[in-house]
């Protein structure tokens, strides 16, 4: 029975619009990123696969276009040690450490979008096994290259060169 | 040879973790300590290894005879999460005291937030008897 129910916040027009203290609005133009490249490293391929699914889903929900998901080949660091404490040079033990990579590239972001996405994705990074290295590319043409040089120089009269 | 349990008369209880030798890590076993020190291009592997050794000895001593299996250490940023399986020899108030004691002491010692997650098990889960 909804006859006597009052919705929370519906106090009529006397209430002022609520300002969220966490959201800041500024007038300066935002820096634009052409491509945001996230490289994730880990020891376990299964963990990286699930993290890739999570990151791609988060990007789609936020409306960020994913350029490509690249999986560079794994690097294996091996070293060979002596098996015994004292002698027996012929008997050794080999250890290896495998590092799997996964590169996620997103295109055309604003700085605030990138900040939000990166914060969300970094807070949910799996423990220890995955690590992020981020590279961003900014697009901006400096003022002095905007117009070609030969248009800006004043007209020079041609002088005859007598050989 | 390393981390292999020698066969005996058939009365020795061996857990899943103890039964598998180290070449099964990544295939049948998981990692006990998760940090980024051992990845290519990352530093700090030696410090993490030392911290792990100290933490395992500290926890082995703080919960005398209660640890059912090896402790799992995970590092998320600055936070250190320790997951331990205990037996049910001590009453819960004492367990809570030991939990708070371990958390505050390790937090002051390593200058990072430490979270200890305990779970009690009635007995060690046997994988096979060797």
């Amino acid at each position: 029975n909804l006859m006597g129910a009052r919705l929370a916040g519906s106090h009529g027009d006397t209430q002022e619009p609520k300002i969220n203290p966490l959201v800041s609005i500024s007038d300066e133009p935002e820096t634009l990123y052409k491509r945001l490249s996230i490289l994730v490293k880990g020891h376990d391929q299964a963990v990286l696969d699930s993290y890739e699914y999570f990151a791609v889903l988060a990007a789609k929900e936020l409306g960020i276009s994913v350029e490509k998901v690249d999986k560079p080949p794994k690097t294996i660091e091996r070293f060979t040690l002596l098996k015994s404490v004292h002698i027996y040079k012929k008997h050794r033990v080999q250890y290896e450490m495998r590092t799997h990579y996964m590169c996620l590239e997103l295109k055309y972001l604003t700085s605030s979008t990138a900040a939000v996405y990166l914060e969300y994705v970094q807070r949910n990074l799996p423990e220890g096994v995955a690590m992020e290295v981020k590279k961003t590319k900014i697009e901006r043409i400096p003022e002095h290259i905007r117009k070609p040089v030969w248009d800006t120089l004043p007209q020079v009269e041609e002088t005859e060169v007598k050989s | 040879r390393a981390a292999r349990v020698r066969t005996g008369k058939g009365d020795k209880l061996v857990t899943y973790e103890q039964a598998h030798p180290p070449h099964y890590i990544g295939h049948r076993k998981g990692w006990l300590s998760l940090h980024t020190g051992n990845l290519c291009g990352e530093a700090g592997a030696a410090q993490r290894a030392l911290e792990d050794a100290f933490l395992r000895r500290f926890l082995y001593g703080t919960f005398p005879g209660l640890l059912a299996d090896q402790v799992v250490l995970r590092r998320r940023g600055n936070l250190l999460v320790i997951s331990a399986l205990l037996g049910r020899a001590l009453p819960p108030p004492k367990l809570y005291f030991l939990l708070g004691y371990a958390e505050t002491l390790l937090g002051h010692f390593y200058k990072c937030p430490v979270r200890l997650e305990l779970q009690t098990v009635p007995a060690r889960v046997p994988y096979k008897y060797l």
Side-chain angles (χ1 to χ4, degrees):
Chain A
N1 188 15
L2 295 174
M3 287 295 287
R6 290 181 194 182
L7 297 170
S10 61
H11 297 285
D13 294 331
T14 54
Q15 194 84 1
E16 288 161 4
K18 291 175 191 174
I19 304 170
N20 190 358
L22 295 174
V23 176
S24 60
I25 304 170
S26 60
D27 287 333
E28 59 195 28
E30 291 196 8
T31 53
L32 303 169
Y33 294 110
K34 185 178 172 187
R35 199 182 303 142
L36 187 70
S37 169
I38 303 172
L39 177 67
V40 192
K41 298 188 270 192
H43 286 303
D44 202 357
Q45 184 70 50
V47 168
L48 288 185
D49 288 342
S50 82
Y51 187 69
E52 167 211 344
Y53 175 75
F54 160 76
V56 164
L57 188 68
K60 275 188 198 163
E61 289 298 316
L62 286 175
I64 305 171
S65 55
V66 178
E67 195 176 335
K68 61 176 176 178
V69 178
D70 188 26
K71 292 194 183 175
K74 62 178 187 275
T75 55
I76 306 179
E77 185 189 335
R78 290 196 185 101
F79 44 93
T80 315
L81 304 172
L82 297 172
K83 192 191 264 193
S84 170
V85 168
H86 183 44
I87 40 176
Y88 307 112
K89 191 67 175 257
K90 289 185 199 170
H91 303 88
R92 315 243 181 157
V93 175
Q94 288 185 317
Y95 296 105
E96 66 176 26
M97 292 186 291
R98 298 186 181 182
T99 309
H100 301 269
Y101 301 97
M102 194 266 294
C103 187
L104 193 65
E105 293 189 3
L106 314 165
K107 55 180 179 178
Y108 301 141
L109 298 168
T110 54
S111 64
S112 52
T113 316
V116 165
Y117 179 75
L118 282 174
E119 169 147 9
Y120 179 60
V121 143
Q122 279 166 4
R123 275 185 193 265
N124 290 309
L125 205 61
E127 46 271 342
V129 184
M131 173 64 199
E132 251 186 80
V133 173
K134 181 200 75 174
K135 296 165 211 163
T136 65
K137 293 166 196 173
I138 311 172
E139 54 178 343
R140 189 77 191 156
I141 306 174
E143 284 291 335
H144 58 276
I145 317 180
R146 286 267 169 90
K147 291 183 181 175
V149 181
W150 48 84
D151 286 343
T152 54
L153 284 178
Q155 291 284 332
V156 178
E157 292 183 357
E158 291 183 0
T159 55
E160 292 182 3
V161 177
K162 292 183 181 172
S163 59
Chain B
R1 314 212 49 215
R4 274 154 248 257
V5 184
R6 298 284 166 216
T7 56
K9 295 257 174 119
D11 55 349
K12 188 165 37 173
L13 189 146
V14 168
T15 57
Y16 189 89
E17 178 71 40
Q18 292 167 337
H20 288 84
H23 62 267
Y24 281 124
I25 293 177
H27 302 275
R28 293 189 199 175
K29 274 171 85 162
W31 283 266
L32 282 178
S33 152
L34 296 166
H35 57 273
T36 59
N38 285 323
L39 294 167
C40 275
E42 306 295 332
Q47 282 90 347
R48 306 296 157 267
L50 190 66
E51 286 167 17
D52 291 350
F54 174 80
L55 281 166
R56 285 177 205 281
R57 286 188 187 216
F58 181 86
L59 291 163
Y60 183 72
T62 330
F63 300 97
L66 289 173
L67 285 180
D69 209 343
Q70 292 282 349
V71 163
V72 173
L73 306 168
R74 294 180 289 173
R75 286 183 181 79
R76 276 178 222 147
N78 203 19
L79 174 67
L80 173 61
V81 181
I82 307 173
S83 313
L85 276 179
L86 302 178
R88 291 184 184 163
L90 281 185
K94 298 197 179 177
L95 280 183
Y96 279 115
F97 167 75
L98 285 176
L99 171 81
Y101 157 80
E103 276 192 359
T104 43
L105 204 64
L106 290 172
H108 282 287
F109 193 70
Y110 279 127
K111 307 282 182 283
C112 66
V114 175
R115 202 196 302 167
L116 188 56
E117 289 160 6
L118 302 177
Q119 183 186 348
T120 54
V121 185
R124 282 191 187 182
V125 181
Y127 177 65
K128 51 182 169 183
Y129 290 92
L130 287 179

